Amino acid sequence: MAMNIVVVGSQWGDEGKGKLIDILSAHSDITVRYQGGNNAGHTVVVRDKEYVFHLLPSAILHKGKVCVVANGCVIDPQAILNEMEDLKRRAIKVDSICLKISGLAHVVMPYHRILDGLRESKRKNKIGTTGRGIGPCYADKVTRCGIRMIDLLNPRIFKSKLEDNLSEKNEIFKEVFDTQGFSLEKVYAEYLDYGRRLAPYICDTALYLNRAMDRGKSVLFEGAQGTFLDIDFGTYPFVTSSNTIVGGLCAGSGIAPTRINKTIACVKAYTTRVGEGPFPTEFSSSLKDEIRIKGKEFGATTGRPRRCGWFDSVLVRHSIIINGAHELAIMKLDVLSGLKEIKICRRYKYKGKTYKDFPMDFEVLSNAQPIYEELTGWQADISGIRRYAQLPSQARAYVERLEDLLKVGVRYISIGTRREDIIIR
């Protein structure tokens, strides 16, 4: 029986989903990206060659596999073309057989990127946007004035929609931000050319996926970012603009929930986040710098240094509940090697009250003090280990304590950056 699996980030993104997807996609026929845009970054190392993906699933590295960028994504045509061309220069095949792009996915336009930056500059409380235009593009989708990939293939429809958008956006640029707007003819010609170049890849991906499943094909679904950047369940407003949780898969790909067989929650052995927002278990400056350098914690998309902290079981337990996770993947366990003690947050405390469940109140979350459990660390280098039983007893104790707290079994343990640096239990 074909297995249809979803991998979901269960912290604030950057958990190592790209590596896990790369490993799992070798055993799946099709891999689907179902939300987000080129504000995401997945890094994969294969035979010491590093590949960074922003829109394309990393499964494109496997011969004979199909990659789908589904309708829940927002697509910057120039960005996806650049990604495709970079892979072709590196002798990776990218054609209309191995890559499908949904005609219903919305297009990131140049005015979205400018609006993103201008709005951030006006905010008193900065969100920490990547400035890629993702939020404004999703906003246009919801307010029903967006432009979709299929529109780029119909010059009349595209021009009509672009005229309406520029009429509104150029007035906003002039009256609100006192900046220059965009030329209709220039944007029209540029994006019509993108449509021509991407036309062979654009199709009804929902129909394609459902028919493939009917034929017994196995499908792997990957989200971008993580649960706590979800527009509904994340640490709002310091979130992304789409549903990153497993529930976003259905609306973002056109696949019914009854067709999903397994959900794998992906977490780091510690916690990181990029940008602003609450972070109860954040390290002190010295330890933050040590782990950041050791774990190479710099954003794959922006290069921004990631904030680092101890593992937060309150956070991850909430994610596992929301996503209905069946299995857990723990990434970068090797980064914790050499620490004398390792902490796990089990509860929060604020104004004398203890919280065992993740709080909705932003004030509580922003000021909560973590209540830690301390475990003995391990000093050995574990990067060459491939069997769970060979891990130091302290490392196994850490993994098993996480299983106890999260009430879900650990299936995968990453102990390095390369594809083969993985323990499967």
Side-chain angles (χ1 to χ4, degrees), residues 20-84:
L20 186 61
I21 290 291
D22 178 55
I23 293 166
L24 295 174
S25 61
H27 309 287
S28 297
D29 298 304
I30 304 167
T31 301
V32 182
R33 168 84 178 273
Y34 62 83
Q35 52 79 215
N38 62 317
N39 56 336
H42 289 168
T43 303
V44 177
V45 179
V46 181
R47 289 187 290 276
D48 297 322
K49 291 182 180 179
E50 183 175 278
Y51 300 85
V52 179
F53 296 93
H54 300 285
L55 278 163
L56 299 177
S58 57
I60 200 81
L61 298 175
H62 294 284
K63 292 181 180 180
K65 307 297 181 179
V66 178
C67 292
V68 173
V69 182
N71 60 278
C73 297
V74 292
I75 298 173
D76 183 327
Q78 182 62 69
I80 200 167
L81 284 166
N82 287 346
E83 208 165 319
M84 292 161 64

Side-chain angles (χ1 to χ4, degrees), residues 114-336:
I114 301 301
L115 274 172
D116 208 359
L118 290 172
R119 285 173 177 167
E120 182 80 349
S121 70
K122 292 281 188 179
R123 293 181 189 272
K124 182 179 178 181
N125 298 309
K126 308 294 185 187
I127 290 176
T129 174
T130 60
R132 303 298 172 95
I134 307 305
C137 183
Y138 274 116
D140 276 5
K141 176 179 180 177
V142 174
T143 54
R144 295 165 296 181
C145 65
I147 294 170
R148 303 191 295 185
M149 292 298 292
I150 194 66
D151 297 330
L152 301 183
L153 308 187
N154 187 323
R156 290 185 301 277
I157 291 294
F158 174 46
K159 192 165 193 176
S160 174
K161 287 189 173 185
L162 184 60
E163 284 173 338
D164 281 348
N165 271 281
L166 288 182
S167 175
E168 176 195 34
K169 298 319 192 278
N170 282 346
E171 187 172 350
I172 291 172
F173 286 133
K174 179 182 177 182
E175 300 298 332
V176 177
F177 297 109
D178 190 27
T179 192
Q180 188 176 354
F182 287 84
S183 159
L184 171 66
E185 294 305 322
K186 185 176 179 181
V187 175
Y188 177 68
E190 179 184 352
Y191 277 70
L192 209 59
D193 182 60
Y194 291 150
R196 178 188 59 78
R197 294 165 65 187
L198 290 169
Y201 306 91
I202 296 172
C203 65
D204 186 336
T205 56
L207 199 59
Y208 169 79
L209 289 170
N210 277 285
R211 286 176 173 171
M213 287 180 173
D214 289 343
R215 297 195 307 272
K217 299 294 184 181
S218 58
V219 183
L220 177 64
F221 295 87
E222 64 166 294
Q225 292 93 28
T227 296
F228 293 94
L229 293 178
D230 184 272
I231 188 66
D232 288 299
F233 293 98
T235 49
Y236 190 90
F238 301 99
V239 293
T240 193
S241 302
S242 57
N243 287 114
T244 63
I245 62 168
V246 68
L249 179 162
C250 302
S253 66
I255 297 299
T258 51
R259 305 200 81 156
I260 304 304
N261 304 109
K262 184 192 293 184
T263 299
I264 302 173
C266 186
V267 298
K268 269 183 186 148
Y270 47 102
T271 310
T272 63
R273 81 171 298 174
V274 172
E276 307 300 323
F279 190 169
T281 66
E282 192 165 9
F283 289 141
S284 61
S285 295
S286 58
L287 187 54
K288 187 190 302 182
D289 290 342
E290 178 185 341
I291 296 298
R292 181 184 289 151
I293 292 168
K294 198 172 179 181
K296 299 179 180 178
E297 295 297 351
F298 298 89
T301 296
T302 63
R304 290 183 293 180
R306 296 176 184 137
R307 299 156 65 192
C308 303
W310 295 115
F311 192 92
D312 188 338
S313 71
V314 180
L315 185 94
V316 176
R317 187 167 56 242
H318 193 64
S319 171
I320 285 169
I321 292 168
I322 290 170
N323 291 298
H326 301 93
E327 294 177 352
L328 196 65
I330 298 178
M331 316 302 282
K332 292 193 171 183
L333 183 66
D334 56 301
V335 174
L336 297 181

